[in-house]
Amino acid sequence: MAAPPDASAPLGFGTRAVHAGQAPDPSTGAIMTPIYQTSTYVQARPGDHQGHEYARVTNPTRTALEGNLAALEGAAHGITFASGVAAIDALCKSLRPGDHIVSTNDLYGGTYRLFRQVYEPFGLRFSFGDLTDLDAFEQMLEPTTKLVWLETPTNPLLRIYDIAGVVERTRAKSPEAVVVVDNTFASPYLQRPLEHGADLVLHSTTKYLGGHSDVVGGAILTDDEAWTEKLRFQIKATGAVPGPMDCFLVLRATKTLHLRMERHCANADAVARFLRTHPKVGRVRFPGFEDHPGHALAARQMRTPSGTPAFGGMVSFELVNDALDVAMDVMANTRVFSLAESLGGVESLVSHPASMTHGSIPADVRRAAGLPDSLIRLSVGVEDEADLIADLDRALGVA
């Protein structure tokens, strides 16, 4: 029986996406990793088992997914969770009261809610800012800083942060701190933060890695042995594990990640350029524009495995005069773009961050971070480009 390609060999991204972490089923030869739908495993005698004891701790389908995701991010270890927020929760549970976390001021609303409403009352301290200014970021660091949290591109303002620069400043001033990058918006096809010095990479596997809007999950990828042990302890102790069916769905989806991301990027670029020319549209936020403040940095940080700059499948825009009522009309009148939360699926989605994904952030905090009430966020899917543009053109015309 043929052995799977060695994930440690210098294989291409697409080959790793299809094969890494997986081997044909030894009992049947099935080429697809089985869904090991079991809660426990038989042992010959106490402690004498085949690598698995209880399904909260490990599951063979989950192990295959963890190996696959680690290979895509170029990491030594992968740890998967029931959701992206569960992965963030495990990181926070590994800290202690008095520890300080520095983060961006335009992050996902669910992350902000977890930080401020769950863990701040338990004694963790948080500082939020625009980390594009590295000097200002360095002033935020303290001796007690234990974690620096980045999204890049950010959700939903699509700001770009200098991963290597943040790592360098953190190492110099707060050497005990780890740098975590939420890589959900870019996916490992476009950005591999460990290559820029990050300690841990987080994904909501619900998004581009899952890619089909049919599964919820999370993952952390790292080379750090100590953090791997901490996170596996959290899995064992607190139980936020993904089920085997969820792992199977993500594992199936990553086989086409490289193909999907190419189409997401091409469609988003076309949609962004169309919106920029529309008379009802004001500001369009897309890192692929040369006048985007983070364009040059994105072109260095966000590259396909072949080295070509690519800027992702997300676009945000505002209407002329920041007209909230017109924005609501636009979102209610799209037909190809579905009005829904989430992102990264093959289908195109439109959402209103201020009332949906970021509704948990107080309005004054949201506005101070630069997130206007009328901002529309697009997750551009893999449909035909002409249909996406025609849909937006019609909805803007009706509004």
Side-chain angles (χ1 to χ4, degrees):
M1 184 180 298
D6 180 1
S8 66
L11 299 172
F13 187 95
T15 305
R16 283 179 281 139
V18 172
H19 293 288
Q22 302 154 83
D25 177 50
S27 62
T28 66
I31 195 166
M32 293 299 293
T33 302
I35 302 167
Y36 288 91
Q37 195 71 52
T38 185
S39 62
T40 193
Y41 308 86
V42 173
Q43 304 183 34
R45 57 193 300 131
D48 182 4
H49 52 76
Q50 298 181 54
H52 303 279
E53 300 172 81
Y54 188 62
R56 185 180 68 249
V57 183
T58 58
N59 175 282
T61 314
R62 193 197 323 165
T63 299
L65 175 61
E66 291 174 342
N68 183 262
L69 298 181
L72 296 184
E73 279 287 2
H77 307 286
I79 308 98
T80 52
F81 299 84
S83 68
V85 171
I88 304 168
D89 182 61
L91 286 170
C92 291
K93 284 175 180 171
S94 300
L95 303 176
R96 294 295 177 262
D99 287 348
H100 178 237
I101 296 92
V102 174
S103 184
T104 61
N105 64 357
D106 59 338
L107 75 170
Y108 167 53
T111 305
Y112 182 88
R113 177 176 56 227
L114 184 66
F115 285 171
R116 297 301 300 267
Q117 294 180 236
V118 176
Y119 281 102
E120 199 167 58
F122 285 153
L124 297 185
R125 298 185 303 109
F126 296 89
S127 297
F128 300 91
D130 179 358
L131 308 190
T132 53
D133 184 340
L134 290 176
D135 290 335
F137 161 68
E138 188 171 343
Q139 295 305 309
M140 296 169 66
L141 294 170
E142 302 176 2
T144 58
T145 302
K146 293 295 189 290
L147 192 147
V148 175
W149 181 270
L150 288 181
E151 288 178 7
T152 182
T154 62
N155 181 6
L157 297 178
L158 300 176
R159 289 179 178 143
I160 305 296
Y161 291 118
D162 183 349
I163 299 171
V166 166
V167 169
E168 181 182 6
R169 300 296 181 101
T170 302
R171 298 279 186 270
K173 189 167 181 182
S174 300
E176 293 186 8
V178 295
V179 176
V180 184
V181 177
D182 184 336
N183 201 30
T184 298
F185 265 34
S187 90
Y189 185 71
L190 300 182
Q191 183 172 263
R192 291 157 296 282
L194 297 181
E195 295 177 1
H196 301 280
D199 299 289
L200 302 120
V201 179
L202 179 134
H203 285 277
S204 168
T205 59
T206 311
K207 312 306 192 298
Y208 287 108
L209 291 173
H212 295 79
S213 301
D214 57 5
V215 64
V216 172
I220 295 175
L221 302 313
T222 184
D223 291 332
D224 191 307
E225 298 276 355
W227 269 98
T228 298
E229 290 305 311
K230 288 179 184 179
L231 294 170
R232 292 207 182 281
F233 171 80
Q234 290 295 340
I235 286 278
K236 183 176 181 178
T238 62
V241 299
M245 183 67 183
D246 297 335
C247 293
F248 174 85
L249 288 171
V250 178
L251 192 57
R252 181 179 66 167
T254 58
K255 294 179 185 296
T256 60
L257 177 64
H258 53 304
L259 307 176
R260 291 184 282 109
M261 289 308 299
E262 291 284 353
R263 186 63 172 262
H264 283 299
C265 292
N267 279 353
D269 186 84
V271 164
R273 294 183 189 283
F274 159 74
L275 289 171
R276 206 172 204 191
T277 65
H278 199 285
K280 288 189 178 179
V281 175
R283 181 175 181 180
V284 181
R285 301 168 190 261
F286 180 62
F289 292 148
E290 291 187 1
D291 58 354
H292 184 286
H295 174 76
L297 177 58
R300 295 198 306 270
Q301 249 173 212
M302 298 177 67
R303 289 178 169 267
T304 68
S306 66
T308 305
F311 304 99
M314 302 299 297
V315 179
S316 294
F317 69 99
E318 301 144 46
L319 299 176
V320 172
N321 300 323
D322 195 25
L324 178 59
D325 56 339
V326 181
M328 293 297 187
D329 285 344
V330 170
M331 289 181 282
N333 281 286
T334 57
R335 294 296 177 264
V336 180
F337 282 85
S338 298
L339 178 60
E341 296 195 9
S342 199
L343 60 104
V346 291
E347 65 289 310
S348 292
L349 300 178
V350 58
S351 69
H352 182 234
S355 65
M356 297 170 75
T357 56
H358 292 65
S360 61
I361 300 178
D364 58 332
V365 175
R366 200 171 59 237
R367 292 169 188 148
L371 201 169
D373 289 345
S374 70
L375 185 81
I376 296 172
R377 191 191 75 181
L378 302 178
S379 173
V380 183
V382 301
E383 303 94 339
D384 289 320
E385 172 190 312
D387 293 330
L388 295 174
I389 290 174
D391 188 47
L392 291 171
D393 192 31
R394 189 193 58 78
L396 286 162
V398 170

